[in-house]
Amino acid sequence: MTSKASILGSVLNWLRAGYPRGVPPEDYVALFAVLHRKLTEDEVGEVVEQLIAADTDGVIDRGQVQDAIGKLAHEKPGEDDVNRVAARLAAVGWPLAHPSDA
């Protein structure tokens, strides 16, 4: 059985590989939509906290992330945005199938 820590570690590795310079603010909403296909709300929160904690370059701004999460509650990302983010993550190994399709 895969542990929660190893799953979150894999997610963080995919994000770092897919966004080596950090996630641009315009991708936050679509990124959270893609992450929510595979992760619970709590797991997404853990990923965000770990990314912020590991950010030594000051690329990730907690306020921007919180604003993006707030937007996600009220805004659905465009299909083009989700496809762009999903393709970027798929290029580094992110599994695109919905868990119910497995």
Side-chain angles (χ1 to χ4, degrees):
M1 179 183 242
T2 306
S3 74
K4 186 175 181 178
S6 68
I7 292 170
L8 292 177
S10 294
V11 171
L12 290 170
N13 289 336
W14 283 317
L15 290 176
R16 289 182 183 123
Y19 290 96
R21 293 188 179 110
V23 178
E26 63 271 13
D27 280 3
Y28 284 150
V29 174
L31 175 61
F32 293 132
V34 170
L35 290 178
H36 276 286
R37 291 178 180 174
K38 294 283 186 185
L39 304 175
T40 67
E41 190 78 29
D42 289 341
E43 289 169 335
V44 170
E46 287 181 46
V47 168
V48 168
E49 289 304 316
Q50 289 186 32
L51 285 173
I52 290 171
D55 179 33
T56 58
D57 297 329
V59 174
I60 300 172
D61 178 87
R62 181 178 295 278
Q64 287 178 322
V65 173
Q66 289 172 333
D67 288 347
I69 290 170
K71 278 185 182 179
L72 182 61
H74 303 290
E75 176 184 330
K76 295 220 182 235
E79 188 175 333
D80 289 344
D81 293 329
V82 171
N83 289 339
R84 180 185 70 249
V85 168
R88 188 172 196 149
L89 293 178
V92 295
W94 181 257
L96 291 179
H98 191 278
S100 64
D101 296 338

